[in-house]
mmCIF file of all heavy atoms in Angstrom:
data_model
loop_
_atom_site.group_PDB
_atom_site.id
_atom_site.type_symbol
_atom_site.label_atom_id
_atom_site.label_comp_id
_atom_site.label_asym_id
_atom_site.label_seq_id
_atom_site.Cartn_x
_atom_site.Cartn_y
_atom_site.Cartn_z
ATOM 1 N N ALA A 1490 -12.597 -15.708 -17.159
ATOM 2 C CA ALA A 1490 -11.137 -15.979 -17.119
ATOM 3 C C ALA A 1490 -10.429 -14.931 -16.256
ATOM 4 O O ALA A 1490 -9.508 -15.250 -15.539
ATOM 5 C CB ALA A 1490 -10.591 -16.019 -18.530
ATOM 6 N N GLU A 1491 -10.911 -13.626 -16.370
ATOM 7 C CA GLU A 1491 -10.273 -12.591 -15.573
ATOM 8 C C GLU A 1491 -10.547 -12.791 -14.107
ATOM 9 O O GLU A 1491 -9.648 -12.606 -13.250
ATOM 10 C CB GLU A 1491 -10.810 -11.158 -15.981
ATOM 11 C CG GLU A 1491 -10.436 -10.704 -17.383
ATOM 12 C CD GLU A 1491 -11.170 -11.423 -18.483
ATOM 13 O OE1 GLU A 1491 -12.332 -11.871 -18.227
ATOM 14 O OE2 GLU A 1491 -10.637 -11.523 -19.609
ATOM 15 N N ASP A 1492 -11.736 -13.188 -13.711
ATOM 16 C CA ASP A 1492 -12.047 -13.373 -12.342
ATOM 17 C C ASP A 1492 -11.238 -14.544 -11.784
ATOM 18 O O ASP A 1492 -10.853 -14.534 -10.605
ATOM 19 C CB ASP A 1492 -13.563 -13.602 -12.133
ATOM 20 C CG ASP A 1492 -14.352 -12.328 -12.241
ATOM 21 O OD1 ASP A 1492 -13.659 -11.262 -12.233
ATOM 22 O OD2 ASP A 1492 -15.552 -12.375 -12.395
ATOM 23 N N ILE A 1493 -11.120 -15.595 -12.593
ATOM 24 C CA ILE A 1493 -10.273 -16.744 -12.136
ATOM 25 C C ILE A 1493 -8.853 -16.355 -11.959
ATOM 26 O O ILE A 1493 -8.192 -16.684 -10.963
ATOM 27 C CB ILE A 1493 -10.449 -17.950 -13.161
ATOM 28 C CG1 ILE A 1493 -11.851 -18.497 -13.041
ATOM 29 C CG2 ILE A 1493 -9.400 -19.000 -12.887
ATOM 30 C CD1 ILE A 1493 -12.214 -19.508 -14.054
ATOM 31 N N ALA A 1494 -8.324 -15.497 -12.897
ATOM 32 C CA ALA A 1494 -6.938 -15.031 -12.785
ATOM 33 C C ALA A 1494 -6.789 -14.218 -11.496
ATOM 34 O O ALA A 1494 -5.792 -14.282 -10.752
ATOM 35 C CB ALA A 1494 -6.550 -14.219 -13.950
ATOM 36 N N ALA A 1495 -7.811 -13.449 -11.155
ATOM 37 C CA ALA A 1495 -7.787 -12.635 -9.936
ATOM 38 C C ALA A 1495 -7.783 -13.514 -8.698
ATOM 39 O O ALA A 1495 -7.173 -13.149 -7.702
ATOM 40 C CB ALA A 1495 -8.971 -11.683 -9.936
ATOM 41 N N LEU A 1496 -8.511 -14.592 -8.744
ATOM 42 C CA LEU A 1496 -8.535 -15.595 -7.623
ATOM 43 C C LEU A 1496 -7.109 -16.102 -7.355
ATOM 44 O O LEU A 1496 -6.626 -16.147 -6.228
ATOM 45 C CB LEU A 1496 -9.378 -16.794 -7.862
ATOM 46 C CG LEU A 1496 -10.940 -16.605 -7.907
ATOM 47 C CD1 LEU A 1496 -11.558 -17.984 -8.192
ATOM 48 C CD2 LEU A 1496 -11.402 -16.063 -6.558
ATOM 49 N N VAL A 1497 -6.474 -16.450 -8.497
ATOM 50 C CA VAL A 1497 -5.117 -17.063 -8.396
ATOM 51 C C VAL A 1497 -4.170 -16.016 -7.799
ATOM 52 O O VAL A 1497 -3.335 -16.286 -6.981
ATOM 53 C CB VAL A 1497 -4.661 -17.595 -9.767
ATOM 54 C CG1 VAL A 1497 -3.231 -18.056 -9.650
ATOM 55 C CG2 VAL A 1497 -5.552 -18.763 -10.117
ATOM 56 N N ALA A 1498 -4.350 -14.728 -8.275
ATOM 57 C CA ALA A 1498 -3.445 -13.682 -7.829
ATOM 58 C C ALA A 1498 -3.636 -13.462 -6.276
ATOM 59 O O ALA A 1498 -2.706 -13.346 -5.518
ATOM 60 C CB ALA A 1498 -3.716 -12.404 -8.568
ATOM 61 N N GLN A 1499 -4.894 -13.459 -5.897
ATOM 62 C CA GLN A 1499 -5.155 -13.147 -4.478
ATOM 63 C C GLN A 1499 -4.715 -14.298 -3.591
ATOM 64 O O GLN A 1499 -4.260 -14.090 -2.484
ATOM 65 C CB GLN A 1499 -6.712 -12.910 -4.297
ATOM 66 C CG GLN A 1499 -7.097 -12.439 -2.855
ATOM 67 C CD GLN A 1499 -6.515 -11.071 -2.525
ATOM 68 O OE1 GLN A 1499 -6.049 -10.329 -3.421
ATOM 69 N NE2 GLN A 1499 -6.504 -10.706 -1.255
ATOM 70 N N SER A 1500 -4.804 -15.502 -4.109
ATOM 71 C CA SER A 1500 -4.357 -16.695 -3.292
ATOM 72 C C SER A 1500 -2.823 -16.577 -3.048
ATOM 73 O O SER A 1500 -2.366 -17.021 -1.969
ATOM 74 C CB SER A 1500 -4.743 -18.022 -3.953
ATOM 75 O OG SER A 1500 -3.928 -18.325 -5.052
ATOM 76 N N GLN A 1501 -2.085 -16.029 -4.006
ATOM 77 C CA GLN A 1501 -0.595 -15.858 -3.785
ATOM 78 C C GLN A 1501 -0.395 -14.755 -2.740
ATOM 79 O O GLN A 1501 0.492 -14.888 -1.930
ATOM 80 C CB GLN A 1501 0.063 -15.511 -5.060
ATOM 81 C CG GLN A 1501 0.081 -16.648 -6.101
ATOM 82 C CD GLN A 1501 0.456 -16.067 -7.487
ATOM 83 O OE1 GLN A 1501 1.604 -15.776 -7.781
ATOM 84 N NE2 GLN A 1501 -0.552 -15.921 -8.334
ATOM 85 N N LYS A 1502 -1.223 -13.721 -2.851
ATOM 86 C CA LYS A 1502 -1.004 -12.585 -1.965
ATOM 87 C C LYS A 1502 -1.206 -12.988 -0.502
ATOM 88 O O LYS A 1502 -0.544 -12.363 0.372
ATOM 89 C CB LYS A 1502 -2.057 -11.516 -2.349
ATOM 90 C CG LYS A 1502 -1.790 -10.184 -1.635
ATOM 91 C CD LYS A 1502 -2.646 -9.096 -2.224
ATOM 92 C CE LYS A 1502 -2.408 -7.795 -1.425
ATOM 93 N NZ LYS A 1502 -3.275 -6.743 -1.893
ATOM 94 N N ARG A 1503 -2.063 -13.932 -0.198
ATOM 95 C CA ARG A 1503 -2.342 -14.302 1.117
ATOM 96 C C ARG A 1503 -1.772 -15.678 1.562
ATOM 97 O O ARG A 1503 -2.261 -16.242 2.484
ATOM 98 C CB ARG A 1503 -3.884 -14.287 1.369
ATOM 99 C CG ARG A 1503 -4.517 -12.933 1.312
ATOM 100 C CD ARG A 1503 -4.343 -12.196 2.550
ATOM 101 N NE ARG A 1503 -4.700 -10.793 2.453
ATOM 102 C CZ ARG A 1503 -3.844 -9.818 2.314
ATOM 103 N NH1 ARG A 1503 -2.544 -10.037 2.340
ATOM 104 N NH2 ARG A 1503 -4.252 -8.568 2.136
ATOM 105 N N SER A 1504 -0.810 -16.136 0.755
ATOM 106 C CA SER A 1504 -0.315 -17.549 1.056
ATOM 107 C C SER A 1504 0.935 -17.506 1.913
ATOM 108 O O SER A 1504 1.910 -16.854 1.679
ATOM 109 C CB SER A 1504 0.006 -18.173 -0.295
ATOM 110 O OG SER A 1504 0.808 -19.330 -0.041
ATOM 111 N N ALA A 1505 0.848 -18.235 2.973
ATOM 112 C CA ALA A 1505 2.001 -18.346 3.912
ATOM 113 C C ALA A 1505 3.178 -19.091 3.263
ATOM 114 O O ALA A 1505 4.337 -18.637 3.300
ATOM 115 C CB ALA A 1505 1.569 -19.091 5.185
ATOM 116 N N VAL A 1506 2.869 -20.149 2.539
ATOM 117 C CA VAL A 1506 4.007 -20.919 1.965
ATOM 118 C C VAL A 1506 4.624 -20.180 0.798
ATOM 119 O O VAL A 1506 5.832 -20.199 0.619
ATOM 120 C CB VAL A 1506 3.505 -22.367 1.603
ATOM 121 C CG1 VAL A 1506 4.669 -23.168 0.980
ATOM 122 C CG2 VAL A 1506 2.963 -23.101 2.808
ATOM 123 N N PHE A 1507 3.803 -19.469 0.006
ATOM 124 C CA PHE A 1507 4.308 -18.669 -1.051
ATOM 125 C C PHE A 1507 5.317 -17.656 -0.498
ATOM 126 O O PHE A 1507 6.384 -17.454 -1.055
ATOM 127 C CB PHE A 1507 3.165 -18.007 -1.814
ATOM 128 C CG PHE A 1507 3.613 -17.227 -3.022
ATOM 129 C CD1 PHE A 1507 3.778 -17.817 -4.265
ATOM 130 C CD2 PHE A 1507 3.898 -15.826 -2.937
ATOM 131 C CE1 PHE A 1507 4.173 -17.120 -5.330
ATOM 132 C CE2 PHE A 1507 4.238 -15.070 -4.036
ATOM 133 C CZ PHE A 1507 4.435 -15.702 -5.265
ATOM 134 N N ASP A 1508 4.935 -17.089 0.604
ATOM 135 C CA ASP A 1508 5.803 -16.103 1.285
ATOM 136 C C ASP A 1508 7.071 -16.779 1.833
ATOM 137 O O ASP A 1508 8.166 -16.281 1.645
ATOM 138 C CB ASP A 1508 5.097 -15.420 2.427
ATOM 139 C CG ASP A 1508 6.001 -14.481 3.201
ATOM 140 O OD1 ASP A 1508 6.516 -13.600 2.617
ATOM 141 O OD2 ASP A 1508 6.142 -14.718 4.431
ATOM 142 N N VAL A 1509 6.897 -17.912 2.442
ATOM 143 C CA VAL A 1509 8.030 -18.684 2.991
ATOM 144 C C VAL A 1509 9.099 -18.945 1.894
ATOM 145 O O VAL A 1509 10.302 -18.856 2.066
ATOM 146 C CB VAL A 1509 7.582 -19.947 3.670
ATOM 147 C CG1 VAL A 1509 8.786 -20.932 3.897
ATOM 148 C CG2 VAL A 1509 6.895 -19.681 4.982
ATOM 149 N N ILE A 1510 8.576 -19.328 0.684
ATOM 150 C CA ILE A 1510 9.471 -19.680 -0.375
ATOM 151 C C ILE A 1510 10.085 -18.455 -1.089
ATOM 152 O O ILE A 1510 11.230 -18.474 -1.476
ATOM 153 C CB ILE A 1510 8.701 -20.613 -1.351
ATOM 154 C CG1 ILE A 1510 8.411 -21.918 -0.681
ATOM 155 C CG2 ILE A 1510 9.537 -20.792 -2.632
ATOM 156 C CD1 ILE A 1510 7.588 -22.883 -1.505
ATOM 157 N N THR A 1511 9.282 -17.446 -1.212
ATOM 158 C CA THR A 1511 9.736 -16.336 -2.065
ATOM 159 C C THR A 1511 10.546 -15.313 -1.218
ATOM 160 O O THR A 1511 11.267 -14.509 -1.830
ATOM 161 C CB THR A 1511 8.615 -15.542 -2.768
ATOM 162 O OG1 THR A 1511 7.625 -15.192 -1.720
ATOM 163 C CG2 THR A 1511 7.918 -16.447 -3.774
ATOM 164 N N ASN A 1512 10.392 -15.306 0.085
ATOM 165 C CA ASN A 1512 11.126 -14.316 0.891
ATOM 166 C C ASN A 1512 12.026 -15.012 1.904
ATOM 167 O O ASN A 1512 11.723 -16.044 2.434
ATOM 168 C CB ASN A 1512 10.153 -13.441 1.694
ATOM 169 C CG ASN A 1512 9.365 -12.518 0.763
ATOM 170 O OD1 ASN A 1512 10.020 -11.711 0.044
ATOM 171 N ND2 ASN A 1512 8.080 -12.610 0.758
ATOM 172 N N PRO A 1513 13.184 -14.386 2.160
ATOM 173 C CA PRO A 1513 14.085 -14.989 3.137
ATOM 174 C C PRO A 1513 13.551 -14.920 4.566
ATOM 175 O O PRO A 1513 12.693 -14.050 4.831
ATOM 176 C CB PRO A 1513 15.328 -14.087 2.997
ATOM 177 C CG PRO A 1513 14.869 -12.785 2.520
ATOM 178 C CD PRO A 1513 13.698 -13.105 1.630
ATOM 179 N N GLY A 1514 13.930 -15.830 5.386
ATOM 180 C CA GLY A 1514 13.529 -15.787 6.833
ATOM 181 C C GLY A 1514 14.715 -16.417 7.600
ATOM 182 O O GLY A 1514 15.486 -17.214 6.995
ATOM 183 N N ASN A 1515 14.844 -16.034 8.810
ATOM 184 C CA ASN A 1515 15.900 -16.608 9.585
ATOM 185 C C ASN A 1515 15.581 -17.995 10.121
ATOM 186 O O ASN A 1515 14.517 -18.177 10.609
ATOM 187 C CB ASN A 1515 16.251 -15.667 10.779
ATOM 188 C CG ASN A 1515 16.849 -14.378 10.271
ATOM 189 O OD1 ASN A 1515 17.835 -14.389 9.497
ATOM 190 N ND2 ASN A 1515 16.321 -13.225 10.658
ATOM 191 N N VAL A 1516 16.502 -18.855 10.034
ATOM 192 C CA VAL A 1516 16.339 -20.239 10.602
ATOM 193 C C VAL A 1516 17.402 -20.378 11.671
ATOM 194 O O VAL A 1516 18.558 -20.266 11.400
ATOM 195 C CB VAL A 1516 16.495 -21.314 9.468
ATOM 196 C CG1 VAL A 1516 16.312 -22.689 10.069
ATOM 197 C CG2 VAL A 1516 15.512 -21.063 8.366
ATOM 198 N N HIS A 1517 16.986 -20.708 12.869
ATOM 199 C CA HIS A 1517 17.857 -20.820 14.005
ATOM 200 C C HIS A 1517 17.952 -22.352 14.346
ATOM 201 O O HIS A 1517 16.919 -22.929 14.688
ATOM 202 C CB HIS A 1517 17.422 -20.090 15.215
ATOM 203 C CG HIS A 1517 17.137 -18.656 14.917
ATOM 204 N ND1 HIS A 1517 18.187 -17.732 14.850
ATOM 205 C CD2 HIS A 1517 16.026 -17.952 14.625
ATOM 206 C CE1 HIS A 1517 17.684 -16.560 14.568
ATOM 207 N NE2 HIS A 1517 16.366 -16.629 14.404
ATOM 208 N N VAL A 1518 19.127 -22.898 14.172
ATOM 209 C CA VAL A 1518 19.268 -24.361 14.502
ATOM 210 C C VAL A 1518 20.142 -24.570 15.724
ATOM 211 O O VAL A 1518 21.211 -23.973 15.793
ATOM 212 C CB VAL A 1518 19.915 -25.088 13.265
ATOM 213 C CG1 VAL A 1518 20.014 -26.623 13.526
ATOM 214 C CG2 VAL A 1518 19.062 -24.857 11.994
ATOM 215 N N THR A 1519 19.644 -25.300 16.669
ATOM 216 C CA THR A 1519 20.419 -25.617 17.863
ATOM 217 C C THR A 1519 20.522 -27.150 18.058
ATOM 218 O O THR A 1519 19.800 -27.891 17.402
ATOM 219 C CB THR A 1519 19.754 -25.017 19.141
ATOM 220 O OG1 THR A 1519 18.388 -25.500 19.167
ATOM 221 C CG2 THR A 1519 19.705 -23.484 19.065
#
Side-chain angles (χ1 to χ4, degrees):
Chain A
E1491 290 75 27
D1492 286 346
I1493 290 173
L1496 289 183
V1497 173
Q1499 187 66 14
S1500 75
Q1501 291 166 75
K1502 188 171 180 184
R1503 292 279 170 258
S1504 165
V1506 180
F1507 185 84
D1508 174 59
V1509 164
I1510 292 176
T1511 55
N1512 290 303
N1515 291 310
V1516 180
H1517 306 280
V1518 181
T1519 53

